[in-house]
Amino acid sequence: MQQIFNITYTSRTALSQFLEKYTLEQLNKIPEGFSNNLIWNIAHVVVTQQRLVYKLSGLPVMISDEMEAKYEKGSRPEQDVSQAEVDEIKSLLFKTHDQTIADYENGSFQDFKEFTTSTGFTIKNVEDALSFNNFHEALHIGVIMSIRKFL
């Protein structure tokens, strides 16, 4: 499991660097041909991890209902985010990761509701959820790398 957590940390570090490198205007820009922007993709990975790991385990998430709705699958940016929201998202990249490790080590993930993703992968337990989450984050890093070419 340590390797899975190390991969997540590497992903989160890369995402954090996008938040540092790009201006608020660039983070909010939706390039022609795209349906979302850099900040949406970054917040979306936080929301998805919380849903995959915590909600499917029947545990409370560490994000607000508003954030979950704003960045869930199928949503789109409806307005620009503020610097305060960017700062919150950046903080959550690591807070959620660190808390997930602590909760895993404490055995908090006892129950899990099996779930089949839109890509057809069936997640049967929290370990599957953590592994799939890394795949999901990598997909969005790829999207982010495409978007940044148009900023």
Side-chain angles (χ1 to χ4, degrees), residues 61-120:
V61 294
M62 293 175 264
I63 56 173
S64 69
D65 292 342
E66 295 78 21
M67 183 176 186
E68 188 173 358
K70 188 174 181 178
Y71 298 106
E72 69 186 347
K73 182 179 180 172
S75 66
R76 303 179 121 193
E78 295 180 16
Q79 62 190 35
D80 285 354
V81 301
S82 66
Q83 186 60 51
E85 188 171 358
V86 171
D87 294 343
E88 177 188 14
I89 291 164
K90 184 176 180 181
S91 174
L92 285 168
L93 283 171
F94 296 103
K95 283 183 183 178
T96 56
H97 176 63
D98 294 344
Q99 188 62 52
T100 301
I101 293 170
D103 289 341
Y104 185 83
E105 290 173 349
N106 291 332
S108 298
F109 303 107
Q110 294 300 311
D111 296 317
F112 196 87
K113 182 181 175 188
E114 191 172 294
F115 175 75
T116 301
T117 70
S118 61
T119 59

Side-chain angles (χ1 to χ4, degrees), residues 33-45:
F34 289 87
S35 59
N36 50 47
N37 52 30
L38 294 177
I39 193 63
W40 184 93
N41 278 277
I42 295 168
H44 172 73
V45 301

